[in-house]
Amino acid sequence: MITQFTISFIFSSDLVFQSFSGYAVRGLFFELIKKFDQKRASDLHSLKRVAPYALTPIEFVDRRNKWRFAYKRARGPSIGKFTLTVLDDYIASIIKEAVVSGELERVQFGNVVCNVTEIDVRIIDYKMLLEKSKPVKKFTVRFRTPCYFRRKPRLFSLLARLKDFLPVEEEGVISKLYKERFERSVSIAYPLPDPYSMIANLARLWDNFSKVPIESQSLLDWVDVGGFVLAGIPQGVKTMRFFEHPTTKKWQMGFVGSVRFSIPEELYDERKARLIDLLMKFGEIVNVGANRTAGFGVISYIRSQDQN
Protein backbone atom coordinates (compact mmCIF):
# COMPACT_ATOMS: atom_id res chain seq x y z
CA MET A 1 0.00 0.00 0.00
CA ILE A 2 0.97 3.63 -0.57
CA THR A 3 -0.05 6.15 2.08
CA GLN A 4 -0.26 9.86 1.29
CA PHE A 5 -0.56 12.58 3.92
CA THR A 6 -1.46 16.06 2.67
CA ILE A 7 -0.95 18.61 5.45
CA SER A 8 -2.63 22.00 5.10
CA PHE A 9 -1.73 24.95 7.31
CA ILE A 10 -1.97 28.72 7.72
CA PHE A 11 0.94 31.08 8.28
CA SER A 12 0.88 34.72 9.35
CA SER A 13 4.26 35.94 8.06
CA ASP A 14 6.70 35.13 5.27
CA LEU A 15 8.32 31.69 5.18
CA VAL A 16 11.95 32.01 4.09
CA PHE A 17 14.07 29.12 2.79
CA GLN A 18 17.68 28.62 1.73
CA SER A 19 16.86 27.89 -1.92
CA PHE A 20 13.98 25.42 -2.16
CA SER A 21 11.22 24.61 0.34
CA GLY A 22 11.43 20.88 -0.41
CA TYR A 23 14.60 20.70 1.69
CA ALA A 24 12.71 22.22 4.64
CA VAL A 25 9.85 19.72 4.29
CA ARG A 26 12.39 16.87 4.26
CA GLY A 27 13.92 18.27 7.45
CA LEU A 28 10.48 18.33 9.08
CA PHE A 29 9.85 14.74 7.94
CA PHE A 30 13.09 13.52 9.58
CA GLU A 31 12.42 15.40 12.81
CA LEU A 32 8.99 13.78 12.96
CA ILE A 33 10.34 10.25 12.43
CA LYS A 34 13.16 10.89 14.94
CA LYS A 35 10.68 11.73 17.72
CA PHE A 36 9.11 8.28 17.46
CA ASP A 37 12.00 6.11 16.26
CA GLN A 38 15.47 7.64 16.25
CA LYS A 39 17.13 4.54 14.78
CA ARG A 40 14.75 4.41 11.82
CA ALA A 41 15.35 8.11 11.17
CA SER A 42 19.11 7.49 11.19
CA ASP A 43 18.75 4.48 8.87
CA LEU A 44 16.63 6.51 6.43
CA HIS A 45 19.15 9.33 6.43
CA SER A 46 22.04 7.01 5.50
CA LEU A 47 20.02 4.85 3.09
CA LYS A 48 21.95 3.76 -0.02
CA ARG A 49 19.01 2.29 -1.92
CA VAL A 50 15.72 3.62 -3.25
CA ALA A 51 14.03 5.71 -0.56
CA PRO A 52 10.59 4.51 0.61
CA TYR A 53 9.10 8.00 0.64
CA ALA A 54 8.70 11.13 -1.46
CA LEU A 55 7.32 14.58 -0.77
CA THR A 56 6.29 17.84 -2.34
CA PRO A 57 7.69 21.27 -1.58
CA ILE A 58 5.41 23.75 0.16
CA GLU A 59 2.64 24.97 -2.10
CA PHE A 60 0.95 28.24 -1.12
CA VAL A 61 -1.62 30.75 -2.38
CA ASP A 62 0.13 33.83 -3.76
CA ARG A 63 -1.04 37.45 -4.06
CA ARG A 64 -2.84 36.62 -7.32
CA ASN A 65 -4.82 33.94 -5.46
CA LYS A 66 -3.06 31.10 -7.32
CA TRP A 67 -1.36 28.03 -5.90
CA ARG A 68 2.40 27.93 -6.51
CA PHE A 69 5.43 26.12 -5.11
CA ALA A 70 7.70 27.98 -2.72
CA TYR A 71 11.35 28.23 -3.61
CA LYS A 72 13.11 30.84 -1.46
CA ARG A 73 10.03 32.50 0.00
CA ALA A 74 6.31 32.04 0.59
CA ARG A 75 4.60 35.39 1.16
CA GLY A 76 2.37 35.56 4.22
CA PRO A 77 -0.18 35.72 5.55
CA SER A 78 -1.53 32.88 3.45
CA ILE A 79 -2.42 29.19 3.39
CA GLY A 80 -0.07 26.40 2.40
CA LYS A 81 0.21 22.64 2.08
CA PHE A 82 2.66 19.84 1.39
CA THR A 83 2.34 16.09 0.82
CA LEU A 84 4.28 13.18 2.29
CA THR A 85 4.02 9.95 0.27
CA VAL A 86 5.13 6.82 2.10
CA LEU A 87 5.77 3.40 0.55
CA ASP A 88 6.69 1.68 3.81
CA ASP A 89 3.94 0.55 6.21
CA TYR A 90 6.03 1.10 9.34
CA ILE A 91 6.95 4.67 8.43
CA ALA A 92 3.31 5.32 7.55
CA SER A 93 2.31 4.05 11.00
CA ILE A 94 4.71 6.53 12.63
CA ILE A 95 3.13 9.45 10.81
CA LYS A 96 -0.35 8.18 11.68
CA GLU A 97 0.73 8.04 15.32
CA ALA A 98 2.00 11.61 15.05
CA VAL A 99 -1.39 12.69 13.73
CA VAL A 100 -3.33 10.91 16.48
CA SER A 101 -1.02 12.17 19.26
CA GLY A 102 -1.34 15.78 18.16
CA GLU A 103 2.31 16.06 17.15
CA LEU A 104 1.20 17.56 13.84
CA GLU A 105 -1.11 20.23 15.23
CA ARG A 106 1.61 22.73 14.32
CA VAL A 107 4.58 22.73 11.96
CA GLN A 108 7.52 25.10 12.08
CA PHE A 109 9.64 26.49 9.25
CA GLY A 110 12.48 28.68 10.46
CA ASN A 111 11.09 30.95 13.15
CA VAL A 112 7.51 30.75 11.90
CA VAL A 113 5.08 28.41 13.63
CA CYS A 114 2.16 27.39 11.38
CA ASN A 115 -1.17 26.05 12.60
CA VAL A 116 -2.26 22.89 10.80
CA THR A 117 -5.85 23.16 9.59
CA GLU A 118 -6.36 19.79 7.89
CA ILE A 119 -4.60 16.46 7.34
CA ASP A 120 -5.91 14.40 4.46
CA VAL A 121 -4.89 10.72 4.39
CA ARG A 122 -5.14 8.73 1.17
CA ILE A 123 -4.48 4.99 0.81
CA ILE A 124 -3.51 3.75 -2.66
CA ASP A 125 -3.44 0.09 -3.69
CA TYR A 126 -0.89 -1.07 -6.30
CA LYS A 127 -3.22 -3.70 -7.72
CA MET A 128 -5.99 -1.13 -8.13
CA LEU A 129 -3.61 1.18 -10.01
CA LEU A 130 -2.81 -1.64 -12.43
CA GLU A 131 -6.47 -2.57 -12.90
CA LYS A 132 -7.44 1.04 -13.67
CA SER A 133 -4.63 1.62 -16.18
CA LYS A 134 -5.53 1.98 -19.86
CA PRO A 135 -3.45 1.90 -23.06
CA VAL A 136 -2.13 5.32 -24.00
CA LYS A 137 -0.75 6.63 -27.31
CA LYS A 138 0.32 10.16 -26.50
CA PHE A 139 0.37 12.44 -23.51
CA THR A 140 1.97 15.48 -21.88
CA VAL A 141 3.96 15.51 -18.66
CA ARG A 142 4.17 18.79 -16.80
CA PHE A 143 7.30 18.72 -14.67
CA ARG A 144 6.06 21.00 -11.90
CA THR A 145 9.20 20.94 -9.75
CA PRO A 146 12.81 20.44 -10.90
CA CYS A 147 13.55 16.94 -12.19
CA TYR A 148 16.75 15.13 -13.10
CA PHE A 149 17.80 11.52 -13.55
CA ARG A 150 20.82 9.51 -12.43
CA ARG A 151 22.44 7.61 -15.29
CA LYS A 152 25.38 5.28 -15.73
CA PRO A 153 26.80 4.63 -19.21
CA ARG A 154 24.41 2.34 -21.11
CA LEU A 155 27.28 -0.06 -21.91
CA PHE A 156 26.72 -1.72 -18.54
CA SER A 157 23.08 -2.59 -19.10
CA LEU A 158 24.08 -4.05 -22.48
CA LEU A 159 26.80 -6.20 -20.88
CA ALA A 160 24.42 -7.38 -18.17
CA ARG A 161 21.92 -8.58 -20.78
CA LEU A 162 24.56 -10.00 -23.13
CA LYS A 163 25.89 -12.46 -20.54
CA ASP A 164 22.51 -14.24 -20.46
CA PHE A 165 23.13 -15.46 -24.03
CA LEU A 166 26.73 -16.64 -23.65
CA PRO A 167 28.24 -20.03 -22.73
CA VAL A 168 29.25 -20.34 -19.09
CA GLU A 169 33.00 -19.99 -19.78
CA GLU A 170 32.47 -16.73 -21.69
CA GLU A 171 29.87 -15.46 -19.25
CA GLY A 172 32.53 -15.33 -16.54
CA VAL A 173 34.63 -12.98 -18.66
CA ILE A 174 31.68 -10.69 -19.32
CA SER A 175 30.64 -10.74 -15.67
CA LYS A 176 34.15 -9.76 -14.59
CA LEU A 177 34.30 -6.96 -17.16
CA TYR A 178 30.85 -5.75 -16.13
CA LYS A 179 31.79 -5.72 -12.43
CA GLU A 180 35.13 -3.96 -12.93
CA ARG A 181 33.79 -1.28 -15.27
CA PHE A 182 30.61 -0.74 -13.29
CA GLU A 183 32.50 -0.21 -10.03
CA ARG A 184 34.73 2.40 -11.70
CA SER A 185 31.89 4.21 -13.47
CA VAL A 186 30.27 7.38 -12.16
CA SER A 187 26.54 8.00 -12.01
CA ILE A 188 25.91 11.36 -13.64
CA ALA A 189 23.05 13.81 -13.20
CA TYR A 190 21.02 14.18 -16.40
CA PRO A 191 18.66 17.21 -16.26
CA LEU A 192 16.72 16.49 -19.46
CA PRO A 193 13.41 14.67 -20.20
CA ASP A 194 14.76 11.34 -21.43
CA PRO A 195 11.99 8.72 -22.03
CA TYR A 196 14.14 5.71 -21.12
CA SER A 197 15.46 7.28 -17.90
CA MET A 198 11.96 8.26 -16.82
CA ILE A 199 10.39 4.84 -17.36
CA ALA A 200 13.42 3.01 -15.91
CA ASN A 201 13.22 5.17 -12.79
CA LEU A 202 9.49 4.52 -12.30
CA ALA A 203 9.80 0.80 -13.07
CA ARG A 204 12.56 0.50 -10.47
CA LEU A 205 10.38 2.22 -7.87
CA TRP A 206 7.45 -0.04 -8.71
CA ASP A 207 9.57 -3.21 -8.53
CA ASN A 208 11.12 -2.19 -5.21
CA PHE A 209 7.88 -1.50 -3.37
CA SER A 210 5.04 -3.25 -5.16
CA LYS A 211 4.30 -6.96 -4.98
CA VAL A 212 2.44 -6.73 -8.30
CA PRO A 213 4.81 -7.81 -11.14
CA ILE A 214 4.74 -5.87 -14.42
CA GLU A 215 7.52 -7.41 -16.59
CA SER A 216 9.72 -4.32 -16.27
CA GLN A 217 12.69 -5.57 -18.28
CA SER A 218 10.55 -6.41 -21.30
CA LEU A 219 9.02 -2.94 -21.10
CA LEU A 220 12.43 -1.27 -20.89
CA ASP A 221 13.73 -3.27 -23.85
CA TRP A 222 10.77 -2.01 -25.88
CA VAL A 223 11.37 1.60 -24.77
CA ASP A 224 15.06 1.21 -25.61
CA VAL A 225 14.31 0.38 -29.27
CA GLY A 226 11.99 3.37 -29.69
CA GLY A 227 8.65 2.10 -28.40
CA PHE A 228 8.17 5.23 -26.31
CA VAL A 229 9.64 8.53 -27.48
CA LEU A 230 9.90 12.25 -26.89
CA ALA A 231 7.36 13.98 -29.14
CA GLY A 232 7.97 17.65 -28.48
CA ILE A 233 8.79 20.45 -26.07
CA PRO A 234 6.63 23.24 -27.50
CA GLN A 235 7.61 25.91 -24.97
CA GLY A 236 10.99 24.54 -23.96
CA VAL A 237 12.19 23.51 -20.53
CA LYS A 238 14.02 25.59 -17.95
CA THR A 239 16.90 24.27 -15.86
CA MET A 240 17.35 25.41 -12.26
CA ARG A 241 20.09 24.89 -9.67
CA PHE A 242 19.66 24.75 -5.89
CA PHE A 243 22.16 24.72 -3.02
CA GLU A 244 21.01 22.44 -0.23
CA HIS A 245 23.12 24.04 2.53
CA PRO A 246 24.40 27.64 2.85
CA THR A 247 27.90 26.57 3.93
CA THR A 248 28.62 23.79 1.44
CA LYS A 249 28.91 23.51 -2.32
CA LYS A 250 26.42 20.65 -2.53
CA TRP A 251 23.79 21.43 -5.13
CA GLN A 252 21.25 19.82 -7.43
CA MET A 253 20.02 20.85 -10.86
CA GLY A 254 16.73 20.01 -12.53
CA PHE A 255 14.41 21.02 -15.33
CA VAL A 256 10.80 22.21 -15.30
CA GLY A 257 8.31 22.57 -18.14
CA SER A 258 5.78 20.67 -20.25
CA VAL A 259 6.98 17.79 -22.44
CA ARG A 260 5.07 15.67 -24.94
CA PHE A 261 5.61 11.92 -25.29
CA SER A 262 4.14 9.36 -27.68
CA ILE A 263 4.23 5.74 -28.81
CA PRO A 264 5.01 5.37 -32.54
CA GLU A 265 2.34 3.50 -34.49
CA GLU A 266 4.81 0.99 -35.96
CA LEU A 267 5.91 -0.14 -32.48
CA TYR A 268 2.56 0.16 -30.72
CA ASP A 269 1.94 -2.63 -28.20
CA GLU A 270 -1.31 -2.41 -26.24
CA ARG A 271 0.01 -4.19 -23.14
CA LYS A 272 3.11 -2.03 -22.95
CA ALA A 273 1.07 1.10 -23.67
CA ARG A 274 -1.04 0.19 -20.65
CA LEU A 275 2.10 -0.19 -18.49
CA ILE A 276 3.27 3.25 -19.60
CA ASP A 277 -0.07 4.65 -18.41
CA LEU A 278 0.31 2.78 -15.12
CA LEU A 279 3.82 4.06 -14.45
CA MET A 280 2.95 7.66 -15.32
CA LYS A 281 -0.01 7.60 -12.91
CA PHE A 282 2.34 6.04 -10.35
CA GLY A 283 4.79 8.88 -11.03
CA GLU A 284 2.13 11.46 -10.17
CA ILE A 285 1.94 9.83 -6.73
CA VAL A 286 5.62 9.12 -5.93
CA ASN A 287 7.43 11.78 -8.05
CA VAL A 288 9.90 10.87 -10.77
CA GLY A 289 13.69 11.06 -11.05
CA ALA A 290 16.33 11.70 -8.40
CA ASN A 291 15.96 13.58 -5.10
CA ARG A 292 12.26 12.76 -4.77
CA THR A 293 12.84 12.96 -1.00
CA ALA A 294 13.33 16.75 -1.29
CA GLY A 295 10.34 17.43 -3.51
CA PHE A 296 12.04 17.11 -6.89
CA GLY A 297 10.17 15.47 -9.78
CA VAL A 298 6.59 16.44 -8.93
CA ILE A 299 4.61 15.90 -12.15
CA SER A 300 1.18 16.15 -13.71
CA TYR A 301 0.32 13.45 -16.25
CA ILE A 302 -2.09 14.66 -18.93
CA ARG A 303 -3.41 12.08 -21.38
CA SER A 304 -4.35 13.41 -24.82
CA GLN A 305 -8.13 13.39 -25.29
CA ASP A 306 -7.90 11.51 -28.58
CA GLN A 307 -6.64 8.01 -27.74
CA ASN A 308 -8.18 6.31 -30.74
Side-chain angles (χ1 to χ4, degrees), residues 53-64:
Y53 71 97
L55 54 85
T56 69
I58 290 170
E59 199 170 2
F60 72 104
V61 176
D62 66 14
R63 300 293 170 84
R64 294 175 296 175

Side-chain angles (χ1 to χ4, degrees), residues 184-197:
R184 292 202 305 268
S185 70
V186 177
S187 176
I188 61 170
Y190 189 79
L192 289 172
D194 174 55
Y196 184 90
S197 297

